Amino acid sequence: MTDSSSTVRRNASWLRWQQTTTAILCGTTLVTIPMIGNAQETGESSEDNEGYRLAPIIVNAQAYADDDANSIVAQELWVGGKVATSILDTPASVSVVTEKEIEQRNASTTEEVLQYTPGVLTDYYGTDDRNDYFKIRGFQATTYRDGLTLGSMRGVREEPYAYERVEVLRGANSTLFGPADPGGSVNFVSKRPRFERFGEGYLSYGSFDAKEAGVDVGDTLNADETVAYRFTGTIRDSDREYDHSKDNNGFLMGGLTWEPTAYTSASVIFDYLKRDDTPNSGGYPLDREYDRSEFFGEPDFNYHDVERTSLTGQLTHDFNNGLTLRGNLRYSDLTDDFGYVYITDSSARVGSVVDRDYFGSDSEAQELIGNAILQYDARFDQVDSSTLVGVEYRDASTEDRSFYGDATSIDIANPVFSGAPSSLNVYSSNKQDFTTESVFLTQNLSFYDRFIVTAGVRNDALDISSTNMAGDTDSDDYSETSVRGALTYRVTDEISTYVSMVESVAPPTVGVDPERGEQYEIGAKYAPFGTNALFSAAIYDLTRDDVTIAVVQDNGVIERETVGESRVRGLDLEAKAELTDSLSVAGGYSYMESEVVRDSNASREGNEFAAAPKHTASLWGYYTLPSQDMSVGLGARYIGSYYFDAANTSKSSAATLFDAAFSYQLTKDADLAVNVSNLLDEQHVVGSSTADYYNPGREISAKVSYRW
């Protein structure tokens, strides 16, 4: 196929999508039953529907957002290949961190990607950096990749270079995603092949002798331009900010996409992630502030090895009559082993000798998840309709073994290491199997291009079995139904408002009732004409019943306790704007009041959540100097004070951190970028129990990139 005919094919495809009032599919699976009747289908002229898209049904977000990739302001959520829906019409509080913003800030971890997003708290375990740690609206966030839950793969530190964008949906959403925590969800959108030649390579060097290289290339493979490939890879060799540490990792991803016509697309993506690093020693002593470089673990024992392999298949076919079929299937295999010596300090300690313990875990997991989606869009005079019915299947298994042992104490005034233990006690061994079968129905109706009604229901049938180290097997099954309703009103073509009610059902465990959540939210969004900008505001009231939390006991043992009922009320504000070709600004603010309403321990009733600050705020600006090849960026992040524990016995100090960026265009195709996180090297305690955990210190990186 010639370049000209290829362009015609893509333009025809884009026009066809514009003529179809679509839904956002962000996390579940779907098959649609067309409501045809006497409907006039969406294959009518583009003039009839130009400039308007039906409000989103968020179900399976597998993004391919070329238009948004070159801007920090995402105007659309993308799903099912190239089907787009305006964020302005989404009846939910949504943030999107685009590829351009990730690049400006040189975000190398999920925490760094999300740390300017309102309603999100990151790094509350600081230098205990085994996993990705972040919360949304006071609760653990549920993570997805291309709209499919990571499930047993959650907790692994993701590689941001693998993704086109990261989408954050705040609030309860089990009707959309299935079993999930109520605070919100994070969806990582994988890079996919494009039908054009492109390439990027980079080399970087930074703090703690961090050396890194990466490549991202793609092109078509045949003369007809119906097959395209993409290869993405990174490799890193680095230390960490504390002594006796390493932070080595590698990532490879390859994908093929076949598009024989403008109506059919099929993709296969393979990826491999490996991490070999040293976790910190479970924090620092409690008596004073220590330098982050100090290490009180065991160099011969502290380790963290992760390997994950995934194979994903994606299919989209448009029947060109309002009906679209989508299917997604992914298999993942994971091993995650770690061990470290952690200190167990107390305020009653006398002298400089601190107790320590060995702790570790060996785990593996396999997961198969897939969905099938049919969507039907139609128009009835002044009414646009989008109907979705979906099915999803998930089969997952995990096996883990946890061990511990007493370690020799360490003199923090003169540390002497004793080495790895000869043997450790296995105190827990579990094998768990999960099977989930889901069905989903969502209906969107738009009246006179102003009022949008959304209604949805989902049922998840879960079978769970667990086998302990004694060989005893327990099993349980659940059938959980969640509902969702929303009303959106387009005040003008620039302003939309919405009110919504959504439910959540947290993933259950054997013998424990699932935790259920319910959220009411009112929001407004503004996208002014003539400016690439989006402003949003949301007020919410979120409750969660039968809550189970981890509580650190006086002896250092962590036990799970049922809280009963908890509640969060708050406000989220966000603004992103490219004010000129040279200046872009992103800012956010969140206010949150959390409360334990009912608790098995009456003394905790009325307490605030742990790691749930009332106030957080952020501002990032990026400016390209006139007639210059230089750009500068500066950001500030404010984290208000919050309690460290459920008992509300100790509290953090509020803190403000600064980040900076500098970029210089060396040649037409080459750039030099210098980024500094925590510019002033501010240090504060982000978590505390039997040890203190500090926020990450200052890091500087210099990167040379070449694009073609």
Side-chain angles (χ1 to χ4, degrees):
M1 184 179 289
T2 65
D3 291 342
S4 175
S5 60
S6 178
T7 300
V8 170
R9 177 169 64 92
R10 287 192 288 270
N11 288 342
S13 178
W14 172 243
L15 178 59
R16 174 170 46 83
W17 293 126
Q18 282 189 312
Q19 293 172 335
T20 304
T21 55
T22 42
I24 289 185
L25 314 169
C26 244
T28 140
T29 334
L30 309 165
V31 189
T32 254
I33 300 175
M35 293 183 160
I36 301 178
N38 298 318
Q40 179 183 353
E41 297 179 354
T42 54
E44 54 191 339
S45 67
S46 61
E47 289 82 7
D48 295 336
N49 293 330
E50 187 71 27
Y52 182 74
R53 294 178 183 149
L54 190 64
I57 304 170
I58 304 178
V59 182
N60 187 24
Q62 92 187 15
Y64 191 79
D66 290 340
D67 292 344
D68 290 343
N70 298 315
S71 172
I72 72 163
V73 185
Q75 301 290 347
E76 297 178 326
L77 291 172
W78 288 72
V79 307
K82 301 175 183 178
V83 182
T85 301
S86 170
I87 292 178
L88 195 66
D89 296 329
T90 305
S93 183
V94 175
S95 294
V96 177
V97 185
T98 66
E99 188 175 5
K100 182 177 181 178
E101 184 177 350
I102 294 173
E103 183 177 305
Q104 284 184 357
R105 297 195 274 110
N106 193 33
S108 60
T109 67
T110 301
E111 289 98 325
E112 291 177 355
V113 171
L114 299 176
Q115 62 191 5
Y116 280 85
T117 302
V120 179
L121 177 69
T122 65
D123 283 322
Y124 51 89
Y125 277 124
T127 51
D128 184 354
D129 39 22
R130 289 169 292 149
N131 301 312
D132 288 332
Y133 297 108
F134 50 90
K135 291 184 176 183
I136 303 177
R137 292 182 173 177
F139 294 99
Q140 297 290 336
T142 304
T143 52
Y144 299 82
R145 179 177 173 183
D146 300 324
L148 298 175
T149 179
L150 288 170
S152 54
M153 305 293 119
R154 67 185 298 179
V156 175
R157 294 180 72 87
E158 297 290 334
E159 173 52 64
Y161 196 63
Y163 302 122
E164 295 275 4
R165 52 161 54 186
V166 177
E167 301 176 333
V168 178
L169 179 66
R170 288 176 285 272
N173 47 51
S174 287
T175 307
L176 310 175
F177 295 104
D181 292 307
S185 304
V186 175
N187 182 53
F188 304 100
V189 178
S190 301
K191 292 179 176 178
R192 300 178 64 216
R194 307 200 307 254
F195 287 85
E196 61 181 348
R197 186 180 182 186
F198 66 94
E200 177 190 61
Y202 73 87
L203 297 170
S204 74
Y205 183 80
S207 301
F208 320 118
D209 196 29
K211 301 174 286 291
E212 187 171 325
V215 64
D216 183 22
V217 297
D219 200 354
T220 55
L221 289 174
N222 62 341
D224 290 339
E225 295 185 349
T226 59
V227 180
Y229 81 93
R230 186 168 191 166
F231 175 80
T232 306
T234 66
I235 186 169
R236 177 181 176 90
D237 184 338
S238 176
D239 298 331
R240 283 182 163 166
E241 58 187 340
Y242 42 89
D243 297 334
H244 309 287
S245 65
K246 60 182 176 181
D247 182 17
N248 304 332
N249 60 75
F251 178 82
L252 299 173
M253 181 170 68
L256 288 173
T257 295
W258 177 52
E259 289 189 0
T261 71
Y263 305 100
T264 303
S265 176
S267 297
V268 176
I269 300 173
F270 171 84
D271 64 272
Y272 173 76
L273 173 71
K274 180 175 176 58
R275 297 193 177 277
D276 178 15
D277 53 49
T278 306
N280 204 348
S281 50
Y284 296 85
L286 302 172
D287 56 336
R288 60 177 176 85
E289 186 174 274
Y290 287 77
D291 190 283
R292 291 187 183 90
S293 65
E294 296 188 74
F295 181 76
F296 302 110
E298 283 295 332
D300 294 334
F301 181 72
N302 284 44
Y303 66 92
H304 189 200
D305 298 325
V306 175
E307 285 192 75
R308 185 184 69 189
T309 305
S310 297
L311 181 64
T312 304
Q314 301 170 337
L315 172 68
T316 300
H317 180 69
D318 178 21
F319 293 92
N320 199 29
N321 61 0
L323 183 66
T324 303
L325 168 68
R326 299 183 183 89
N328 300 276
L329 185 67
R330 184 179 70 223
Y331 175 79
S332 301
D333 184 273
L334 168 73
T335 60
D336 188 346
D337 305 331
F338 76 87
Y340 66 84
V341 175
Y342 67 96
I343 60 176
T344 54
D345 199 8
S346 76
S347 57
R349 169 175 56 87
V350 177
S352 59
V353 177
V354 177
D355 293 335
R356 302 187 304 168
D357 294 275
Y358 294 106
F359 176 69
S361 176
D362 296 336
S363 62
E364 60 182 60
Q366 297 80 40
E367 183 175 82
L368 176 69
I369 184 171
N371 62 39
I373 302 164
L374 275 171
Q375 174 186 336
Y376 185 74
D377 300 325
R379 187 171 182 87
F380 307 79
D381 295 327
Q382 297 298 317
V383 179
D384 287 308
S385 172
S386 183
T387 309
L388 292 159
V389 177
V391 294
E392 182 176 275
Y393 178 79
R394 175 175 176 252
D395 187 3
S397 64
T398 63
E399 191 168 356
D400 60 82
R401 194 172 63 102
S402 300
F403 45 86
Y404 78 97
D406 293 331
T408 58
S409 301
I410 192 167
D411 187 345
I412 55 180
N414 184 30
V416 176
F417 303 113
S418 57
S422 58
S423 64
L424 290 170
N425 300 312
V426 177
Y427 74 89
S428 174
S429 179
N430 292 283
K431 185 179 187 304
Q432 299 185 76
D433 295 291
F434 312 84
T435 301
T436 306
E437 298 174 349
S438 309
V439 62
F440 177 100
L441 170 65
T442 293
Q443 176 66 56
N444 270 19
L445 294 172
S446 170
F447 300 90
Y448 303 98
D449 293 351
R450 290 299 179 200
F451 293 94
I452 307 164
V453 177
T454 301
V457 61
R458 173 172 172 139
N459 179 263
D460 296 281
L462 305 99
D463 289 314
I464 307 172
S465 67
S466 178
T467 303
N468 62 24
M469 61 188 300
D472 300 324
T473 300
D474 292 321
S475 61
D476 216 336
D477 61 87
Y478 303 88
S479 180
E480 298 294 330
T481 299
S482 56
V483 298
R484 172 178 181 249
L487 174 63
T488 303
Y489 174 57
R490 291 292 299 268
V491 182
T492 68
D493 291 339
E494 299 175 292
I495 301 172
S496 69
T497 61
Y498 67 90
V499 57
S500 68
M501 189 286 293
V502 290
E503 292 183 334
S504 70
V505 181
T509 57
V510 174
V512 179
D513 291 334
E515 302 169 355
R516 297 191 64 90
E518 187 175 81
Q519 177 182 276
Y520 296 89
E521 182 172 295
I522 300 174
K525 299 174 185 179
Y526 175 47
F529 289 150
T531 303
N532 186 20
L534 182 64
F535 306 89
S536 63
I539 300 172
Y540 62 90
D541 186 324
L542 170 60
T543 59
R544 187 179 186 184
D545 294 323
D546 300 320
V547 180
T548 303
I549 63 172
V551 178
V552 181
Q553 308 300 317
D554 293 339
N555 60 3
V557 176
I558 299 176
E559 295 182 357
R560 299 196 65 82
E561 297 184 7
T562 300
V563 174
E565 180 183 344
S566 59
R567 183 175 190 173
V568 182
R569 296 173 172 173
L571 165 71
D572 292 320
L573 303 175
E574 185 174 42
K576 290 190 175 183
E578 295 191 330
L579 302 176
T580 68
D581 292 339
S582 301
L583 178 63
S584 63
V585 177
Y589 168 77
S590 290
Y591 174 78
M592 180 172 63
E593 287 189 351
S594 62
E595 180 187 7
V596 176
V597 180
R598 290 184 292 106
D599 196 300
S600 57
N601 183 346
S603 65
R604 288 198 294 261
E605 293 183 357
N607 286 3
E608 297 180 20
F609 296 0
K614 285 189 176 182
H615 303 275
T616 57
S618 63
L619 182 64
W620 172 261
Y622 198 80
Y623 179 66
T624 301
L625 279 67
S627 304
Q628 299 289 331
D629 297 325
M630 293 185 293
S631 302
V632 292
L634 183 64
R637 296 176 278 129
Y638 173 80
I639 304 98
S641 177
Y642 56 83
Y643 287 103
F644 293 133
D645 57 2
N648 288 186
T649 57
S650 57
K651 203 171 187 180
S652 73
S653 300
T656 302
L657 298 93
F658 296 92
D659 308 303
F662 171 81
S663 176
Y664 180 72
Q665 188 172 355
L666 301 172
T667 68
K668 177 183 177 182
D669 301 314
D671 298 292
L672 168 66
V674 178
N675 289 81
V676 186
S677 61
N678 193 1
L679 179 65
L680 304 181
D681 200 23
E682 196 278 337
Q683 179 170 314
H684 64 281
V685 177
V686 297
S688 183
S689 55
T690 60
D692 285 339
Y693 301 87
Y694 303 144
N695 66 299
R698 178 170 55 220
E699 292 191 33
I700 305 172
S701 67
K703 180 170 73 174
V704 177
S705 303
Y706 181 76
R707 296 177 175 85
W708 62 92

